[in-house]
Amino acid sequence: RITWSGGEIFLVPGVVYIHPSGYQFSLQQTLDKKGWHIVGTVAEPMHCHKPSTVSGGGKSEISKLLSDMITFGHVRIDNVKRDLAYVDMILRRDYSDRFPDQRTSDLPILDPKRPMGSVVKLLTPSETYTKEYNDWLETIPPMIRSLVFLVKHCYEPSWGNDWKSH
């Protein structure tokens, strides 16, 4: 039930409500099935074009559901000092050893030029990485990996190396 000074409305799950402006909204269950949220759609179309001429150009990636790549749950910090030290070790690590051909080092994780997707890929095992690097990745607890992603997401370049105090 949603109320405001001019009235009230009972939202029914699965029903799409349309405002005269074309704005659409509906009540949908969250992906973790633990709650509900209102999802709105602006009535302005957008055309997205992905060239489909290059082999390996990521055409199949467009059709994948993001919900399959999202995990739900709480991020728990058992020992702040220890867990942040683990995150710091991951942030400062030299990743040049992850490929068999010993390529040069990439941008640091917190560099604004390194996108989040690149960090996710960096911390996800791959057959293109060395066995030793993949083994090391498997030792990172999921909550620590989540903390790395959280720090990357929230990080401001003005913090420099002092991300812990923020």
Side-chain angles (χ1 to χ4, degrees):
R1 180 176 122 178
I2 299 173
T3 61
W4 63 96
S5 61
E8 69 180 11
I9 187 173
F10 289 88
L11 296 183
V12 178
V15 174
V16 177
Y17 299 87
I18 304 174
H19 187 269
S21 69
Y23 183 77
Q24 299 178 19
F25 62 96
S26 63
L27 183 65
Q28 295 183 7
Q29 196 165 26
T30 57
L31 294 173
D32 64 359
K33 309 287 188 217
K34 294 182 180 178
W36 296 86
H37 58 224
I38 297 174
V39 176
T41 305
V42 178
E44 294 180 16
M46 176 187 287
H47 178 72
C48 296
H49 173 69
K50 173 74 174 164
S52 57
T53 58
V54 179
S55 175
K59 296 174 294 296
S60 63
E61 301 301 316
I62 288 178
S63 62
K64 291 182 180 175
L65 291 174
L66 286 176
S67 59
D68 293 342
M69 299 172 213
I70 300 172
T71 56
F72 293 91
H74 301 286
V75 175
R76 189 183 78 243
I77 298 178
D78 294 326
N79 180 315
V80 175
K81 195 173 201 174
R82 183 194 67 218
D83 292 351
L84 292 183
Y86 201 153
V87 170
D88 191 52
M89 181 271 301
I90 292 169
L91 294 176
R92 293 177 186 272
R93 188 184 193 282
D94 175 11
Y95 290 91
S96 62
D97 66 338
R98 72 182 189 274
F99 294 109
D101 57 2
Q102 296 290 323
R103 299 176 195 172
T104 58
S105 186
D106 289 315
L107 293 170
I109 289 177
L110 295 180
D111 190 301
K113 294 179 194 140
R114 180 184 274 277
M116 178 65 85
S118 168
V119 176
V120 171
K121 188 173 180 178
L122 180 72
L123 298 178
T124 302
S126 168
E127 55 190 40
T128 62
Y129 296 154
T130 64
K131 180 185 180 329
E132 294 77 17
Y133 183 75
N134 281 330
D135 290 347
W136 175 76
L137 286 176
E138 294 295 335
T139 67
I140 303 173
M143 71 175 193
I144 298 295
R145 190 181 325 264
S146 294
L147 282 174
V148 172
F149 297 150
L150 180 65
V151 170
K152 171 64 178 171
H153 176 74
C154 297
Y155 180 75
E156 296 288 333
S158 62
W159 299 351
N161 290 330
D162 186 27
W163 57 268
K164 288 182 199 173
S165 68
H166 299 275

